[in-house]
Amino acid sequence: MSFYSKPNYSKHLHKWLKRGRSWHIEYDEYLSNHITHNWIALDAAGVSQDKMQWWQQVYINEGVAKGTVSSTIESEMLDPPRPNALDYTAITEANWLNNLQTTRIGFEAYRDFFDAKIAELGLNACLKRYYPTLSEGMAGAALHPIIHTGWAVDVESDDMASEGLAYMATAFQPLATGANHSDCQLWSPDVPDIIEALKQILMDDSVPQLAKDANTLS
């Protein structure tokens, strides 16, 4: 059974994803910026370039006439790109593991590091080298870093991938089932692991009807 087939993304999509770097990966201290995620979804749905621009205007409240569209809470809070902190070290092959979970201060340094690594190794090789370790902290920022990285892989965007890996590094937070929580029992050991639980949900007979209802309501 196949749960997903890759959409036919347009040739214009990477232009929009590169534009996503016009804003920081987070806003209002800790909330995740979804502008690129929505551009990907819109492009997959086959919208026009005008509609892609319209979404940017709605999301960041840019030049939208008052009362013509409904802007999100996020739209007035997106932050501009942040420069590397002057007092923060450069991320290198020698120290990248020592700077995980840096409470976001190292995001720009990590992004620069992964930009260089993707340029050097290529996206696939870079992911094989760094993703397994970073995935151990996937719970960070409510899974948004790994979601950002996943979108990047799906559309083969180097710009988003380095952001996603940098976000995974700075928001690094292991799941409660990780090895560092092995000394405490948080719930029954008989429950399925996260992959098996997701598989059970996807195989549930009620899912197609739930999806149909959700589509109708939206």
Side-chain angles (χ1 to χ4, degrees):
M1 179 181 294
S2 176
F3 297 110
Y4 175 76
S5 58
K6 188 172 181 177
N8 294 319
Y9 295 118
S10 79
K11 63 182 180 180
H12 303 289
L13 179 57
H14 285 273
K15 174 193 72 175
W16 294 99
L17 301 183
K18 184 178 290 291
R19 186 181 297 186
R21 288 201 177 192
S22 299
W23 305 276
H24 191 62
I25 197 71
E26 290 186 320
Y27 65 95
D28 199 24
E29 301 299 332
Y30 67 91
L31 301 176
S32 298
N33 178 357
H34 289 74
I35 194 167
T36 49
H37 304 195
N38 287 290
W39 271 329
I40 293 172
L42 288 168
D43 186 85
V47 305
S48 67
Q49 296 301 291
D50 287 343
K51 185 63 72 173
M52 297 284 272
Q53 180 64 41
W54 172 86
W55 173 248
Q56 176 182 317
Q57 292 175 302
V58 170
Y59 199 77
I60 69 171
N61 202 20
E62 175 187 70
V64 179
K66 185 176 181 180
T68 59
V69 294
S70 297
S71 58
T72 65
I73 294 174
E74 298 167 281
S75 62
E76 297 179 355
M77 300 182 184
L78 293 191
D79 294 332
R82 299 172 189 168
N84 279 313
L86 295 178
D87 60 347
Y88 200 77
T89 185
I91 300 299
T92 67
E93 189 65 34
N95 71 13
W96 78 276
L97 277 172
N98 300 332
N99 286 271
L100 297 181
Q101 202 172 10
T102 50
T103 59
R104 281 47 167 197
I105 192 174
F107 173 79
E108 293 75 20
Y110 267 108
R111 186 196 56 210
D112 292 347
F113 173 73
F114 286 120
D115 275 340
K117 285 299 177 181
I118 290 173
E120 173 191 349
L121 304 173
L123 178 55
N124 289 340
C126 184
L127 288 167
K128 288 178 181 179
R129 168 71 179 87
Y130 299 102
Y131 178 81
T133 298
L134 293 174
S135 68
E136 295 178 10
M138 68 169 63
L143 304 180
H144 282 85
I146 197 171
I147 293 169
H148 197 88
T149 305
W151 277 121
V153 173
D154 198 55
V155 302
E156 300 177 4
S157 170
D158 293 352
D159 290 302
M160 279 189 73
S162 57
E163 285 186 320
L165 292 171
Y167 201 8
M168 290 181 74
T170 52
F172 190 91
Q173 181 63 53
L175 293 166
T177 52
N180 60 327
H181 294 292
S182 59
D183 293 335
C184 59
Q185 186 63 54
L186 301 179
W187 52 69
S188 169
D190 300 324
V191 299
D193 63 31
I194 188 170
I195 301 300
E196 285 300 317
L198 177 60
K199 183 178 178 182
Q200 289 179 18
I201 293 171
L202 292 174
M203 299 292 288
D204 191 302
D205 291 339
S206 65
V207 168
Q209 184 58 47
L210 289 172
K212 183 178 179 181
D213 292 344
N215 286 334
T216 300
L217 290 171
S218 64

